[in-house]
Amino acid sequence: MAVLLKGEPVAAALRKKIRAEVSALARPPRLAILMAGESAASRRYVERKCDAAAEVGIGTELCALPAGAGRREILQLLNHWNEDDSIDGVLVQAPLPDRSLEDEVFGAVDPAKDVDGFHPHNVGLLALGQKDGLIPCTPKGILYLLEAYGIPIAGRRIVIIGRSRIVGLPLALLLQSRGLDGTVTLCHSRTAHLREIAREADLLISAVGSPNLVRAGWIREGATVVDVGQNFFSDPSSVGGRRLLGDVDFSVVAPHCGAITPVPGGVGPMTVASLLENVLLARQRGAAKSLQPSADA
Ligand code: NAD
């Protein structure tokens, strides 16, 4: 039977460590969150992040702008938070109602406060294997999860399905980096022979948002499968009236795996805990920088 890669116990241990480090700081870290539009899903994600932050002693400031908020309003707010020394981390909840603004908006966050790791500066540092950037939360959380369960990466054939800036692309950069040394194939909606490529993986990661995309014939016997997908369906018989499915057809895939993440309870809790860690890191680095003598001192 496959090992279940449960995220909650690993995330709880990480949160405990973060809480201890936060309590040792003279001023607790503070995270500012911009939410644009009225998406119920975005609201739920933001509430979850705020609750988790409160639990470890990180303060939050939430600004919910209407869907019609323009580019100027968003950029003004980000600029204000960039300048505010009491704000350590800035997060723009994706997706924005107007997705064409995302490049400019993510690029307007101060890279030192960019706790989602979407700014080109941080993406560049990750691409170059430099450790002083902020790494996107879901890739970082997946790495911690794999480490916690002793899943090897070095020398392994890793197939990632989905190349978004949030998950697939930074995860590929991370797993192939020197020191981790995976051999990564990054697939997307135009990849030909996806099933055959997936079957070659020692570690298969799906981050698409398509329920039951990955089926039994896609898995090499004994492979590790990480399911990042979150697909919600209305289901009056479930708690809250909705059901969450991943990208992987769990019941038919799991018997062929060495290890597999559940959905829910796999990658999701790791993403949130990694965000908290990024806020703490931004706070610690900001404090260290303010102690350095300035050039003209
Ligand atoms: P996205 O829409 O930005 O990207 C999806 C990617 O999948 C694209 O690169 C696209 O090319 C690829 N794709 C689409 N259809 C495909 C197909 N048929 N075959 C192969 N590739 C295909 O999505 P995203 O923001 O990266 O999120 C992906 C999924 O992960 C969503 O379900 C999202 O909710 C989930 N997610 C979960 C977490 C978590 O913490 N568990 C975090 C972030 C995203």
Side-chain angles (χ1 to χ4, degrees):
M1 186 58 197
V3 173
L4 213 48
L5 304 174
K6 291 185 185 168
E8 190 44 53
V10 184
L14 182 55
R15 290 197 302 268
K16 190 174 168 195
K17 184 170 160 277
I18 294 167
R19 196 182 310 122
E21 289 192 41
V22 164
S23 65
L25 293 169
R27 172 180 70 73
R30 197 160 173 76
L31 168 67
I33 302 177
L34 166 62
M35 193 176 72
E38 306 300 331
S39 151
S42 288
R43 186 162 284 282
R44 271 195 299 273
Y45 287 132
V46 166
E47 281 170 2
R48 206 170 145 205
K49 289 169 186 175
C50 290
D51 290 348
E55 193 203 312
V56 299
I58 292 175
T60 48
E61 178 172 329
L62 172 62
C63 180
L65 293 177
R71 171 183 167 276
R72 239 179 82 152
E73 204 175 336
I74 294 174
L75 295 178
Q76 263 173 359
L77 180 62
L78 293 180
N79 197 36
H80 167 69
W81 283 339
N82 286 344
E83 299 290 319
D84 183 343
D85 287 341
S86 74
I87 299 289
D88 305 288
V90 173
L91 181 159
V92 179
Q93 182 63 40
L96 289 176
D98 180 355
R99 293 197 77 160
S100 71
L101 290 180
E102 286 185 353
D103 278 342
E104 186 178 9
V105 167
F106 293 141
V109 175
D110 178 346
K113 298 187 179 189
D114 170 38
V115 288
D116 260 336
F118 297 161
H119 191 284
H121 178 80
N122 284 315
V123 178
L125 291 177
L126 181 60
L128 295 171
Q130 295 183 12
K131 306 282 180 223
D132 37 359
L134 287 161
I135 298 173
C137 307
T138 303
K140 193 179 192 186
I142 291 171
L143 183 61
Y144 283 156
L145 189 65
L146 296 172
E147 276 173 2
Y149 284 90
I151 306 292
I153 293 167
R156 299 299 160 119
R157 178 80 193 263
I158 301 169
V159 174
I160 300 172
I161 315 178
R163 61 178 165 187
S164 72
R165 77 165 88 207
I166 296 176
V167 190
L169 178 65
L171 185 58
L173 293 171
L174 190 61
L175 294 178
Q176 63 74 47
S177 65
R178 199 176 287 275
L180 289 174
D181 301 320
T183 301
V184 178
T185 302
L186 185 56
C187 304
H188 47 78
S189 54
R190 305 205 57 188
T191 298
H193 311 297
L194 186 56
R195 185 180 96 121
E196 287 69 26
I197 296 170
R199 274 178 79 92
E200 291 174 14
D202 301 308
L203 169 57
L204 176 66
I205 302 170
S206 183
V208 173
S210 173
N212 298 335
L213 173 78
V214 178
R215 298 179 291 278
W218 291 42
I219 308 297
R220 175 177 178 160
E221 224 38 54
T224 296
V225 174
V226 173
D227 189 353
V228 186
Q230 291 191 326
N231 307 288
F232 288 96
F233 297 91
S234 71
D235 178 2
S237 67
S238 297
V239 185
R242 54 191 203 115
R243 198 153 58 98
L244 173 59
L245 289 180
D247 288 349
V248 177
D249 189 350
F250 186 90
S251 61
V252 299
V253 167
H256 298 279
C257 298
I260 184 167
T261 56
V263 177
V267 174
M270 295 306 303
T271 296
V272 179
S274 299
L275 167 68
L276 304 178
E277 190 186 51
N278 276 354
V279 179
L280 173 62
L281 260 177
R283 166 81 183 95
Q284 289 169 331
R285 288 174 182 172
K289 214 168 135 191
S290 67
L291 289 176
Q292 281 170 8
S294 64
D296 55 352

